[in-house]
Amino acid sequence: MKKQNKVLNLITHPNPILRKVSVLIDIKKIDKKMQELVANMIQTMISDKGIGLAAPQIGKNIRLIIVNYRDKPFALINPVIVKFFGAKVSGEEGCLSIPHVFGDVLRYRNVDCEYFDLRGNKQCLNAKGLLARVIQHEIDHLDGILFIDKMIKDNSNIK
């Protein structure tokens, strides 16, 4: 019988966990437990209608993000942006850890990102547009940075 993935509790702002810098994952220790964590993070992201999720958002300060690209979610372990290119463009962002807040953030249009997959293999991804934005947003989480720190315009309409 296949194990059911869990929806994990989201950490919300202003919880100090969101401001911690996350630690590197030992690639040699990617195991069933890590694969289960990734599956649960994917389930959590999808159930909350997100397009990205970083481990600090579920209370784990490790360098792990999930990105949902074209309805194919995948994990990036120890992601690093090795090149930013193209102009910075403004785009609206929100965050599962900061509900009901939306604002414009300047991000690079394109990035090259290196990371490890769940098999421990090094990968390089040339990301453009929305995928590049999501990767930058989620890696910021790993460094204790929230989109509200970079927001140039608040679009929340909160009264």
Side-chain angles (χ1 to χ4, degrees):
M1 188 164 93
K2 190 177 176 195
K3 191 173 182 184
Q4 211 39 22
N5 294 329
K6 290 192 298 193
V7 173
L8 305 168
N9 291 326
L10 285 172
I11 303 295
T12 56
H13 181 266
N15 191 310
I17 288 172
L18 295 171
R19 294 299 188 173
K20 284 186 178 176
V21 175
S22 296
V23 298
L24 288 170
I25 294 168
D26 184 347
I27 299 307
K28 295 179 193 96
K29 294 185 178 169
I30 296 174
D31 57 9
K32 227 177 175 86
K33 203 171 162 188
M34 176 67 68
Q35 291 173 353
E36 190 176 303
L37 174 64
V38 165
N40 290 338
M41 285 179 68
I42 289 170
Q43 184 67 42
T44 302
M45 177 188 64
I46 290 169
S47 75
D48 285 310
K49 297 177 177 48
I51 55 174
L53 186 67
Q57 293 179 270
I58 51 108
K60 300 215 176 278
N61 283 109
I62 56 174
R63 299 193 77 82
L64 169 65
I65 65 174
I66 306 297
V67 174
N68 194 5
Y69 183 63
R70 296 184 175 164
D71 289 327
K72 292 185 181 126
F74 63 100
L76 292 82
I77 299 169
N78 298 337
V80 176
I81 296 173
V82 294
K83 185 177 179 188
F84 297 90
F85 52 100
K88 273 190 171 182
V89 291
S90 178
E92 186 174 79
E93 294 186 18
C95 181
L96 296 175
S97 290
I98 310 172
H100 315 296
V101 176
F102 301 92
D104 291 346
V105 177
L106 287 173
R107 302 266 187 203
Y108 284 94
R109 188 182 307 268
N110 307 309
V111 296
D112 283 342
C113 178
E114 290 181 353
Y115 66 97
F116 291 90
D117 63 22
L118 275 172
R119 292 186 187 98
N121 298 319
K122 191 171 193 175
Q123 303 289 335
C124 187
L125 176 63
N126 175 258
K128 298 173 172 46
L130 181 60
L131 179 58
R133 178 170 296 277
V134 172
I135 288 171
Q136 290 171 84
H137 176 110
E138 299 307 333
I139 289 176
D140 275 354
H141 273 295
L142 303 182
D143 295 324
I145 300 166
L146 302 175
F147 88 98
I148 55 175
D149 302 332
K150 296 183 171 189
M151 200 163 63
I152 57 173
K153 181 183 171 210
D154 189 335
N155 300 338
S156 303
N157 296 325
I158 295 175
K159 304 282 184 245

